[in-house]
Amino acid sequence: MSSYRIGTLVAAAGSGLLAAGAGVAASALVAASFTGVPSPLESVGNAVIDLAPAVVKDVAVETFGTADKAVLLSGIYLVIAAAAALAGVVGLRRPRLALWMTAGLGALAVAAGATDRTSMLAGPLTALPAVVALVVSVLTLGWLLAVLGRQERTDSTPWWEPHPGDDVGADFDRRRFLQAVLVTGGVVAAAAVGTRLLGSAAAVASRARVRLPPATDGAGVVPAGAELDVRGITPYLTPNDDFYRIDTALSPPDVPTDTWTLRVHGMVDNPLTLDFTDLLRHRLVERRITLTCVSNEVGGDLIGNATWIGVPLADLLNEAGVDAGADALLSTSADGFTAGTPLAAVTDGRDAIVAVGMNGEPLPIVHGFPARMVVPGLYGYVSATKWVTDIEVTRFADFEAYWTSRGWAEEGPIKTAARIDVPAAEAELDAGRHAVAGVAWAQTRGIAKVEVRVDDGDWADARLGAQDGQDTWRQWVYEWDAAPGRHTVQVRATDRTGSTQTSDQAPPRPDGATGWPSRTVTVS
Ligand SMILES: Nc1nc2c(c(=O)[nH]1)N[C@H]1C(S)=C(S)[C@@H](COP(=O)(O)O)O[C@H]1N2
Ligand SMILES: [Mo]
C-alpha cells in the first residue's frame, strides 16, 4: 500500500478545515446580523445541552464548573475540525463523497438550528444561518478541491488507498491554491470580526440609552456593621462583574428594549402586554436580595447579593386580576428558558419583582437585560427568569418547566445554610488568633445564629454582621485561638424560625445540597 505525500495530506485536510471555517464564520455573521439569533455552532451546543442526559450535565458542571460551556464549545469545534479535515482527505479521491460528508455535517447544524428554542426567528427562517453554513462550506470545499485538481475516481479502490498520481503533483498550481487559501482565510477572518462587532450590539446600544427612574421606595443604606472587617470575607454586596451566572443557552439573547415586551396572561381577567416604557411607569421598588442557585454545593459560590430595582410582581398580577384556582406562574425568557414559580410566593407579601436594575445600573446583558424576575427565598431555577418576556398565570398540574422536566424539584425554597470563606482549605496557619468567617443565608426567614466548632468540640456562637433584611445573607465571624496541629472547623446556621442547617449530606439534585461545610487547616 502506498501512501499520500505529507504535502498532499496537508493541502487536502487544510481545504476541509478552511471550508468548514468559512461555513461556520459566514453563518455566525448571518446570525449576528439578526437580533436574538444564535449561530449554528451555538445551536448545536444548545441541542447538546438540551439532549444531554441529566447525569452527563451534572458531571460536566462538577468537573468544569462554570467553564462547562467553554469546554462544550471547544469539544464541538474539535469534532467539526476532525470531520472537516477527514472530508478534505476523502476529497483527494472522492470529491463527491467529501461534499456529501460536508453537507451531512451542515444538515446536523440545520436540524439544530431549526429546533433551537433560543432563536427569535420563527418558522423555516430559524434554520437560515445553518443553511448558510451548509451551502458555504460545500461550495468552498468544492472550489478548493477543484483548485487542487481533484477528480472523482470511479475505480473500486477505497479512498484511503492512494493510486499513483493521486498526490498533488508537478502539474499542481501551487500559486493558485495558495491564493485560494488566502482568500478563504481572509473571508473567515473578516466574518469573525464582523460577528464580534454585531454580537449583542442591539442590546448593548439599547442598555447604554436606558435611564432608570429613581425607585419610589428605596432600599435605604446598608446598616452599619452589616459588613464585617475581616480579610478574605465575601463582600456584603456582590459587584455585577463578580456575580455568578447560570445560563442554559451558550450566549445571552440580544434583547434591546424596543423589541422587548412582557405579556402577563393565562388565568387572568385582563391580560397585559407591557413594553419597557409601560413597565417603568409602574411603582419601582429597590431591594437588597440574595440570589442562590440550587446547584450550589455545600460551601459553593453560586450565590450573590445585589441591590435590585424593579416593579413588584404582585402589582402586575393585581392589574391583570388573577383567577381563583391558579397556583403557579410559568415565566419564559427570550431564549426559551422557563421557570415555574408558586403563585403564593409572589403574593404573600415578599418582595418578588420584575427587576430592571442591578446595583445601580440597568441589568447587565448577562443578568437578563432588559428585565428579569427576582423572587426572594426561591432558588433561581424556579423564579429568577432572565430576559423575561412572558408570565403565564397557570397551574403546576398543567406544565413542566425547563429544570423540572430534567429531574429537579417542582418547588425550590432556599435552604438555610452557611459557608466558610476564611481560612482557606488546607491553609497553613501560625498558632494564635484567626478569624473563621463567612456568610449565611435563609432568604425570607433571616439568619438568627451561626455556630462554629473545631474538631467535633462544642458549638460556639459566631458574631453576626448587623441584620439588613430577611432576604439577604449575613456575614459572620468567629475568633479562633488556634493551637498547633491539624484541625477541622465546621459551621452551621440557624434561621429565625429556629430551624438549623442539617448535617445530613445531600447533593444539589433535586432540591438543593445540604450538610455542614468544613475546612481542614494545619497550625504550627
Ligand atoms: N433565561 C434564563 N434565565 C435564568 C436561567 C437561565 O439559564 N436562562 N438560569 C436560572 C438559574 S438556574 C439561576 S440560579 C439564576 C442565575 O441568575 P444569574 O445568572 O443572574 O446569577 O437565573 C435563572 N434564570
Ligand atoms: Mo440555578
Side-chain angles (χ1 to χ4, degrees), residues 330-331 338-341 381-382 399-406 410:
L330 172 61
S331 53
T338 54
T341 310
Y381 81 109
V382 290
F399 71 89
E400 264 195 317
Y402 186 89
W403 286 111
T404 41
S405 66
R406 289 164 174 81
E410 194 164 71

Side-chain angles (χ1 to χ4, degrees), residues 141-310:
L141 184 60
W143 177 51
L144 291 172
L145 289 176
V147 174
L148 274 177
R150 304 334 289 179
Q151 313 263 306
E152 192 68 17
R153 303 287 295 242
T154 46
D155 57 66
S156 59
T157 322
W159 60 265
W160 58 88
E161 277 178 26
H163 272 198
D166 273 355
D167 267 313
V168 172
D171 55 337
F172 162 63
D173 188 341
R174 191 172 297 266
R175 253 188 81 203
R176 218 182 126 221
F177 181 67
L178 281 180
Q179 272 167 1
V181 166
L182 281 179
V183 167
T184 319
V187 169
V188 169
V193 171
T195 304
R196 252 237 127 77
L197 294 178
L198 288 172
S200 34
V204 170
S206 165
R207 183 172 183 272
R209 285 192 301 268
V210 167
R211 297 284 171 272
L212 294 179
T216 42
D217 182 359
V221 294
V222 174
E227 186 115 43
L228 297 173
D229 183 18
V230 176
R231 186 148 28 108
I233 201 170
T234 306
Y236 182 67
L237 282 169
T238 315
N240 290 352
D241 287 345
D242 298 343
F243 209 95
Y244 80 99
R245 274 177 61 190
I246 302 289
D247 295 305
T248 56
L250 284 167
S251 65
D254 189 22
V255 192
T257 53
D258 51 5
T259 66
W260 179 87
T261 55
L262 176 63
R263 230 157 62 89
V264 180
H265 64 111
M267 299 172 69
V268 299
D269 302 333
N270 318 300
L272 313 174
T273 302
L274 308 171
D275 63 21
F276 197 64
T277 319
D278 299 333
L279 184 71
L280 293 189
R281 278 202 203 103
H282 287 73
R283 180 169 71 103
L284 284 177
V285 301
E286 181 189 41
R287 295 289 183 266
R288 284 185 289 276
I289 298 166
T290 299
L291 208 67
T292 313
C293 182
V294 68
S295 300
N296 199 33
E297 299 280 350
V298 170
D301 56 7
L302 299 179
I303 178 166
N305 186 37
T307 306
W308 308 93
I309 288 187

Side-chain angles (χ1 to χ4, degrees), residues 252-481:
D254 189 22
V255 192
T257 53
D258 51 5
T259 66
W260 179 87
T261 55
L262 176 63
R263 230 157 62 89
V264 180
H265 64 111
M267 299 172 69
V268 299
D269 302 333
N270 318 300
L272 313 174
T273 302
L274 308 171
D275 63 21
F276 197 64
T277 319
D278 299 333
L279 184 71
L280 293 189
R281 278 202 203 103
H282 287 73
R283 180 169 71 103
L284 284 177
V285 301
E286 181 189 41
R287 295 289 183 266
R288 284 185 289 276
I289 298 166
T290 299
L291 208 67
T292 313
C293 182
V294 68
S295 300
N296 199 33
E297 299 280 350
V298 170
D301 56 7
L302 299 179
I303 178 166
N305 186 37
T307 306
W308 308 93
I309 288 187
V311 174
L313 254 168
D315 289 4
L316 299 179
L317 293 180
N318 281 338
E319 212 173 306
V322 171
D323 298 350
D327 66 3
L329 298 182
L330 172 61
S331 53
T332 305
S333 69
D335 69 344
F337 170 88
T338 54
T341 310
L343 184 60
V346 173
T347 52
D348 66 1
R350 76 183 79 180
D351 290 311
I353 54 177
V354 173
V356 291
M358 182 178 185
N359 290 329
E361 295 173 16
L363 277 183
I365 310 280
V366 293
H367 292 293
F369 181 83
R372 74 173 305 167
M373 286 180 34
V374 174
V375 182
L378 300 182
Y379 288 121
Y381 81 109
V382 290
S383 66
T385 305
K386 302 190 271 188
W387 313 288
V388 64
T389 56
D390 191 289
I391 298 175
E392 182 185 350
V393 180
T394 176
R395 292 183 305 211
F396 273 112
D398 293 342
F399 71 89
E400 264 195 317
Y402 186 89
W403 286 111
T404 41
S405 66
R406 289 164 174 81
W408 295 80
E410 194 164 71
E411 300 204 10
I414 294 175
K415 296 176 179 176
T416 300
R419 174 179 87 195
I420 303 174
D421 292 339
V422 287
E426 296 303 326
E428 301 193 350
L429 307 174
D430 295 332
R433 293 187 81 73
H434 290 279
V436 178
V439 284
W441 59 90
Q443 291 93 315
T444 69
R445 302 179 296 280
I447 288 292
K449 183 165 72 170
V450 171
E451 297 162 289
V452 175
R453 72 174 179 182
V454 182
D455 302 331
D456 297 325
D458 292 334
W459 288 102
D461 282 357
R463 180 162 64 85
L464 295 177
Q467 171 81 53
D468 184 6
Q470 312 283 27
D471 297 335
T472 55
W473 61 16
R474 221 165 152 177
Q475 294 183 340
W476 56 269
V477 60
Y478 171 73
E479 296 294 339
W480 176 36
D481 196 4

